[in-house]
């Protein structure tokens, strides 16, 4: 399938960078098959209803938790088995994170998109390993990285001969348990690859609850609408039926029962943003 520099083809099914937004959504971590299916089936229905292409997301391992005592995983093999089953039953592509180069090949046998965590976006060996799988690669911009410098992360993946890459915005780290989103970074990064806005982690407060991260989900709709107005290509949203009981990132997860309305609002904002995305002032 032919694609331009500013497209990413997901599982020969979705065109990130085309005229329909792609939604990457699911629980933060693989907790169980039942939780993943409950979330995935409902979000897929809303995505279809409101005009999104849907990719199910869940991390098989949370290797970057604030505290070593926090939940990480039910196990790599069990998590990947859950992801594979969810993908087959829902007939949707899958995305999950990798943290080590050796994980790329095994994980790529199950999922369609390999996500590079923000803190690891400069790790050359990890980017090359992801690119060499031939799967789509989704790179989160490091909280410490200037938007224009993400070009070099994209170039590392493309040096493997794999052009199927996109970037994700998740806020700048200013310390003191806070993140700030500079909307100028979205069109800057979109010069290099399609861009996804991570709504969930842009309202995270890293380490803000002592040994765990806090969050301000009340600001999620505001940042989501602002990002949508720039005309980007997709959105990343983590959700859970009971965020207070989620095993990871509960304070910034969107409650599952609010996701339908959230997606309706988001698509309307995105449609308006696409209408005016070429309007410029010189």
């Amino acid at each position: 399938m032919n694609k331009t520099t500013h497209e990413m083809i997901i599982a020969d099914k979705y065109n990130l960078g085309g005229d329909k937004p792609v939604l990457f959504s699911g629980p933060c971590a693989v907790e169980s098959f039942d939780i993943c299916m409950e979330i995935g089936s409902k979000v897929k229905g809303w995505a279809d209803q409101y005009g999104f292409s849907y990719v199910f997301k869940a991390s098989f391992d949370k290797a970057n938790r604030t505290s070593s005592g926090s939940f990480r995983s039910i196990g790599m093999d069990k998590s990947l088995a859950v992801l594979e089953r969810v993908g087959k039953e829902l007939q949707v592509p899958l995305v999950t994170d990798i943290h080590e180069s050796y994980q790329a090949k095994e994980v790529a046998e199950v999922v369609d998109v390999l996500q590079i965590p923000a803190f690891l976006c400069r790790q050359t060996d990890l980017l090359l390993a992801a690119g060499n799988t031939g799967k789509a690669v989704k790179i989160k911009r490091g909280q410490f990285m200037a938007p224009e410098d993400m070009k070099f992360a994209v170039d590392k993946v493309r040096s493997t001969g794999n052009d199927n890459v996109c970037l994700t915005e998740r806020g700048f780290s200013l310390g003191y348990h806070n993140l700030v989103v500079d909307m100028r970074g979205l069109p800057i990064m979109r010069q290099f690859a399609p861009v996804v806005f991570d709504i969930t982690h842009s309202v995270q407060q890293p380490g803000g609850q002592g040994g765990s991260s806090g969050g301000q989900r009340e600001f999620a709709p505001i940042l989501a609408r602002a990002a949508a107005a720039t005309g980007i290509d997709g959105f990343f949203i983590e959700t859970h039926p009971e965020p207070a009981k989620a095993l990871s990132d509960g304070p910034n997860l969107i409650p599952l029962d609010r996701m339908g309305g959230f997606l309706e609002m988001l698509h309307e904002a995105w449609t308006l943003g696409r209408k005016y995305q070429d309007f410029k002032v010189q």
Side-chain angles (χ1 to χ4, degrees):
M1 183 178 293
N2 294 325
K3 59 185 183 304
T4 70
T5 301
H6 300 294
E7 293 180 326
M8 183 172 84
I9 306 302
I10 302 172
D12 292 325
K13 189 172 185 179
Y14 303 145
N15 176 6
L16 183 66
D19 55 7
K20 187 176 183 180
V22 177
L23 174 68
F24 301 85
S25 185
C28 181
V30 175
E31 298 180 8
S32 69
F33 172 74
D34 290 341
I35 286 288
C36 287
M37 276 299 295
E38 177 183 359
I39 294 171
S41 59
K42 290 183 178 179
V43 174
K44 182 178 186 292
W46 287 317
D48 291 343
Q49 180 179 354
Y50 294 117
F52 293 86
S53 299
Y54 180 48
V55 180
F56 179 82
K57 181 272 166 186
S59 297
F60 75 85
D61 179 26
K62 303 302 297 183
N64 56 352
R65 298 303 304 272
T66 303
S67 169
S68 62
S70 297
F71 169 80
R72 278 189 58 169
S73 174
I74 61 173
M76 184 174 182
D77 291 342
K78 289 182 179 179
S79 293
L80 291 179
V82 167
L83 287 171
E84 186 172 28
R85 186 177 170 191
V86 168
K88 288 180 178 178
E89 295 207 13
L90 294 180
Q91 290 296 293
V92 295
L94 304 167
V95 59
T96 196
D97 311 82
I98 58 171
H99 299 86
E100 305 281 353
S101 301
Y102 74 85
Q103 296 172 341
K105 184 177 180 181
E106 182 175 356
V107 175
E109 293 176 357
V110 174
V111 307
D112 305 280
V113 183
L114 298 174
Q115 180 167 273
I116 306 299
F119 285 128
L120 302 179
C121 71
R122 287 179 55 139
Q123 295 298 102
T124 301
D125 290 344
L126 183 63
L127 291 166
L128 295 179
N132 279 322
T133 66
K135 291 299 180 77
V137 181
K138 180 176 177 290
I139 311 170
K140 288 194 172 186
R141 186 191 58 75
Q143 299 92 324
F144 48 88
M145 293 284 288
E148 55 267 29
D149 290 344
M150 290 305 294
K151 173 185 184 299
F152 303 106
V154 172
D155 288 345
K156 288 178 183 180
V157 173
R158 288 182 175 153
S159 74
T160 67
N162 183 351
D163 293 332
N164 228 17
V165 59
C166 73
L167 293 170
T168 299
E169 171 59 43
R170 55 134 318 139
F172 290 81
S173 179
L174 299 178
Y176 301 99
H177 313 304
N178 197 23
L179 295 169
V180 174
V181 178
D182 181 353
M183 294 297 168
R184 296 174 298 179
L186 301 177
I188 290 172
M189 291 195 297
R190 204 159 177 253
Q191 297 175 85
F192 318 130
V195 169
V196 174
F197 183 63
D198 181 345
I199 295 167
T200 299
H201 295 98
S202 292
V203 298
Q204 186 186 58
Q205 295 176 308
Q209 293 185 345
S212 63
S213 294
Q216 296 176 304
R217 73 167 65 94
E218 66 270 24
F219 293 116
I222 297 168
L223 291 180
R225 291 195 300 268
T230 69
I232 54 171
D233 307 293
F235 302 91
F236 179 102
I237 313 174
E238 291 178 345
T239 181
H240 196 279
E242 297 182 88
K245 295 182 179 180
L247 298 181
S248 179
D249 268 355
N252 39 279
L253 301 182
I254 303 300
L256 183 61
D257 63 5
R258 301 304 303 277
M259 278 291 288
F262 199 106
L263 293 179
E264 181 180 17
M265 171 200 71
L266 187 59
H267 195 275
E268 288 184 10
W270 179 85
T271 301
L272 185 63
R274 275 297 173 100
K275 180 179 179 180
Y276 292 107
Q277 68 175 332
D278 295 326
F279 180 84
K280 294 181 173 59
V281 178
Q282 300 295 341

